Amino acid sequence: MKAWSILCLSVLLSACASVSTLPRTESVLNDRLFQPPSVRIDAADVFALSDQMQRYLKNEIAPLASTKGGTSALVEALYNKQQLKLEYESTMTRNASQAFDSRSGNCLSLVIMTTAFAKQLGVNVEFQSVFVDEAWSRKSNIHFLNGHVNLILGRAPKSHFNYMGDPPMLVDFLPAEESRGYRRLSISENTIVAMYMNNRAAESLAVNKLDDAYWWAREAIRQAPAFTSAYNTLGVIYQAHGNLNEAAQVFNSILQWEPGNVVAMSNQSQVFLALGRAEEAKALVSRLEKIEPYPPFYFFDRGMAAMREGNFQAAKELFGKEVSRAAYYHEFQFWLGIATLRLGEVKEARQHIAIALENGPDIADRNLYSAKLEQMKFNALR
């Protein structure tokens, strides 16, 4: 898969598109181009409780709710480390039952699982998109722009003026100091479902399951027609599938709603290039360079080239530039640690790799970083 695809993952909401400016959903969908999905894709599954969850609700949560109230009982039963021992893990966006079974998930998965229990308890839920600093990741040469969601449990709807019960609680899977001060936007349950579908589309695309990816993105658009990220994902799927005219149409629609959308602009420039529309591609690239002269992974890729050339001092400086704008992205910290280690600065290298370990998004990454730290410790004892 080529390195031109850029996706918006999870919670990048449209700032200016309105439902009235969106095309009819049918105008951007082309079912005939894709085989049926290999997995079940149904919005009803997102918040569905498994038998195991039903038992946990009956045996663990309900008894607490009778004395502490539904909100307090739910938070204690789900997020007390003596109970479920949930782990943050971002390999796959899970629905409620999958997150419960694996005891892990990304922020969206854990929000979905919490909501599924809250619905059964009759606890009111409010969803929020949190506008954290721009955070990029990369998998299979696809760039992902990640977002963050949290939820408020137990706050009465605005129409319920005489609400009595246990106090509302903010449930956030980022440490409080990391999310404090960021702007929040209330979002609908349909948007949460669309985010889930969009993430599954992106994850399917990353492993080249293009048919599944299309149907996930299609359902995301159906669930929330104003969720711009799903259209961008759809365009990238067309692009990867070789349907360049369809991709150009989708990206053009996004740029009509959001003329400054750099993600759609970048993807459209590559589509134009592939279609032989070189002048239009050049014009978009020129606009992009003015808006964003140093795109995601710009310094990292140059740092990796410097590593291959054995220029570890240059690599350290380049990786350091990426860390300065994404301090906790695990891959930047790890390679900054490796470059520093090659320069003989062992103590500093250990600090960077420890940060990578702490922020690794999945078990495989954390195992890699842990093994490197153990190797360094072993070498120091020899």
Side-chain angles (χ1 to χ4, degrees):
M1 197 175 292
K2 298 179 182 178
W4 35 245
S5 301
I6 302 179
L7 289 175
C8 297
L9 191 66
S10 188
V11 294
L12 293 180
L13 299 177
S14 166
C16 55
S18 65
V19 175
S20 62
T21 65
L22 295 168
R24 292 177 57 193
T25 299
E26 295 80 3
S27 70
V28 295
L29 298 176
N30 288 276
D31 296 357
R32 62 183 175 78
L33 298 174
F34 297 89
Q35 297 298 313
S38 66
V39 295
R40 174 183 162 98
I41 298 175
D42 191 331
D45 295 340
V46 177
F47 298 110
L49 268 67
S50 64
D51 291 343
Q52 187 181 8
M53 293 174 75
Q54 293 281 9
R55 286 192 295 272
Y56 190 77
L57 177 66
K58 178 181 178 181
N59 298 328
E60 302 293 338
I61 302 178
L64 286 173
S66 65
T67 58
K68 296 188 174 185
T71 301
S72 298
L74 182 56
V75 172
E76 181 174 332
L78 292 183
Y79 301 110
N80 183 327
K81 282 292 184 181
Q82 301 305 314
Q83 300 266 1
L84 287 184
K85 298 182 180 179
L86 294 166
E87 298 292 338
Y88 185 88
E89 206 276 329
S90 64
T91 304
M92 167 188 170
T93 304
R94 298 174 170 89
N95 62 28
S97 62
Q98 292 166 336
F100 185 84
D101 290 346
S102 67
R103 303 296 195 267
S104 64
N106 58 21
C107 66
L108 183 56
S109 299
L110 298 178
V111 161
I112 287 169
M113 185 191 71
T114 305
T115 301
F117 281 116
K119 284 172 173 283
Q120 296 297 310
L121 288 169
V123 173
N124 190 59
V125 177
E126 293 181 35
F127 304 103
Q128 297 186 130
S129 173
V130 184
F131 291 84
V132 295
D133 292 335
E134 192 172 87
W136 289 87
S137 59
R138 185 163 63 177
K139 182 179 180 181
S140 302
N141 288 326
I142 302 174
H143 292 78
F144 297 91
L145 182 51
N146 304 284
H148 181 61
V149 290
N150 63 23
L151 72 165
I152 299 173
L153 292 174
R155 186 155 67 186
K158 292 179 180 179
S159 59
H160 292 192
F161 297 108
N162 297 318
Y163 177 81
M164 295 293 290
D166 54 340
M169 291 188 182
L170 174 68
V171 179
D172 198 312
F173 306 101
L174 279 179
E177 62 273 12
E178 289 189 31
S179 60
R180 186 179 295 119
Y182 287 112
R183 188 165 67 89
R184 293 169 169 81
L185 174 69
S186 293
I187 55 179
S188 69
E189 183 176 305
N190 280 352
T191 301
I192 287 288
V193 174
M195 290 174 179
Y196 167 79
M197 300 290 181
N198 187 54
N199 279 20
R200 293 304 307 271
E203 291 156 2
S204 298
L205 175 63
V207 294
N208 206 34
K209 293 184 177 180
L210 299 182
D211 293 313
D212 287 352
Y214 171 79
W215 294 103
W216 283 116
R218 179 186 189 275
E219 188 61 23
I221 290 169
R222 289 185 66 250
Q223 290 295 319
F227 183 49
T228 312
S229 296
Y231 293 87
N232 182 73
T233 303
L234 177 67
V236 174
I237 293 164
Y238 284 140
Q239 190 177 0
H241 199 248
N243 308 119
L244 298 180
N245 289 316
E246 288 78 5
Q249 178 190 351
V250 174
F251 295 136
N252 184 59
S253 294
I254 296 171
L255 291 171
Q256 286 180 358
W257 315 325
E258 300 176 357
N261 188 315
V262 295
V263 174
M265 209 179 296
S266 178
N267 287 331
Q268 184 73 302
S269 69
Q270 295 298 327
V271 170
F272 281 163
L273 201 60
L275 287 169
R277 297 162 63 174
E279 289 303 314
E280 292 169 277
K282 184 178 179 181
L284 281 176
V285 169
S286 178
R287 285 181 62 195
L288 278 168
E289 288 175 347
K290 292 176 182 176
I291 297 170
E292 192 175 42
Y294 302 112
F297 288 81
Y298 178 88
F299 299 112
F300 178 79
D301 289 337
R302 282 153 182 76
M304 293 301 292
M307 289 290 289
R308 289 190 291 270
E309 295 168 0
N311 189 344
F312 304 124
Q313 183 60 46
K316 178 183 176 181
E317 292 171 3
L318 289 161
F319 293 141
K321 289 182 178 181
E322 289 289 15
V323 165
S324 71
R325 61 182 187 173
Y328 297 103
Y329 185 62
H330 63 107
E331 199 172 4
F332 298 160
Q333 287 283 0
F334 176 72
W335 282 103
L336 177 56
I338 296 300
T340 304
L341 181 63
R342 297 291 173 83
L343 292 169
E345 301 165 6
V346 179
K347 182 178 179 180
E348 183 181 346
R350 188 177 291 114
Q351 291 172 343
H352 289 299
I353 297 173
I355 294 171
L357 172 61
E358 184 178 349
N359 292 277
D362 54 52
I363 293 171
D365 288 319
R366 293 194 290 269
N367 286 343
L368 171 65
Y369 304 148
S370 179
K372 189 62 181 180
L373 285 173
E374 287 297 317
Q375 182 187 28
M376 292 170 64
K377 187 185 300 182
F378 175 77
N379 290 340
L381 293 173
R382 293 176 61 183

